[in-house]
Amino acid sequence: MRLMRRSDRAISPQEALIILKNAEYGVLSTVGEDGLPYGVPLSYVLIDQALYIHSALDGRKLDNLTTQPSVSFCVVGATQVLPARFTTAFESVIVSAKASEVFGDEKQQALMALIDKYSAEYKTEGLAYIEKANMKTRVIKLSIESMTGKARRI
């Protein structure tokens, strides 16, 4: 893995996990069979040392993951533009991961964790939604292989 250019802004793995846990969305970057890159913003959840995303049954993202399961996933946490200083305060995390589809209990756990993260006040409705959409939904696990976090705080 290449060293971070601005190592003075590196944050600890523990801080990076907190950002991963709390960020609203991330950008999944894949490469297709044609060699073209593809980045897609999506919701996700962190469980232990893995990220989970959900998907329709087919599409470009899934085609790319079949071709090349190695991915990059980036999240940006809190930001603040500092116009007078011509800069931005920020926190971000970039993950390298291996993607694989999950099934059964692991799939159900990931879908419930997504409900907990994004719709905690609607758990009952969320359970019904999962049950109805389960056969039309794929869940992909991004097993973290490496992670770097960076921040500029004021």
Side-chain angles (χ1 to χ4, degrees):
M1 179 172 210
R2 187 175 180 166
L3 294 176
M4 185 184 301
R5 186 182 64 81
R6 289 296 308 260
S7 60
D8 60 312
R9 295 202 176 135
I11 59 175
S12 72
Q14 295 78 15
E15 289 176 284
L17 284 172
I18 290 168
I19 294 167
L20 277 178
K21 182 176 186 248
N22 295 324
E24 285 186 37
Y25 71 93
V27 176
L28 177 69
S29 296
T30 63
V31 176
E33 188 174 39
D34 54 9
L36 294 176
Y38 179 65
V40 60
L42 41 76
S43 54
Y44 72 96
V45 66
L46 175 69
I47 302 173
D48 298 323
Q49 293 287 316
L51 302 168
Y52 290 83
I53 61 173
H54 69 290
S55 176
L57 297 179
D58 57 15
R60 183 174 178 183
K61 171 180 57 196
L62 295 172
D63 291 347
N64 288 0
L65 293 176
T66 299
T67 300
Q68 178 52 265
S70 293
V71 300
S72 179
F73 190 80
C74 175
V75 300
V76 178
T79 63
Q80 179 186 4
V81 176
L82 305 169
R85 294 176 59 187
F86 308 103
T87 192
T88 301
F90 69 92
E91 55 186 21
S92 64
V93 178
I94 298 175
V95 167
S96 292
K98 192 71 77 177
S100 60
E101 188 170 2
V102 296
F103 304 92
D105 290 343
E106 188 173 9
K107 178 180 179 180
Q108 183 71 17
Q109 179 188 11
L111 291 171
M112 283 305 303
L114 285 161
I115 295 293
D116 287 341
K117 180 175 179 178
Y118 293 102
S119 301
E121 61 278 7
Y122 298 99
K123 266 191 177 173
T124 302
E125 296 90 337
L127 254 174
Y129 184 83
I130 289 170
E131 191 172 311
K132 183 179 175 186
N134 195 9
M135 298 307 291
K136 301 175 193 170
T137 304
R138 293 172 78 176
V139 173
I140 307 300
K141 178 180 184 177
L142 305 178
S143 299
I144 297 173
E145 295 180 332
S146 65
M147 172 179 60
T148 58
K150 191 168 155 179
R152 179 185 186 134
R153 298 189 173 117
I154 318 175

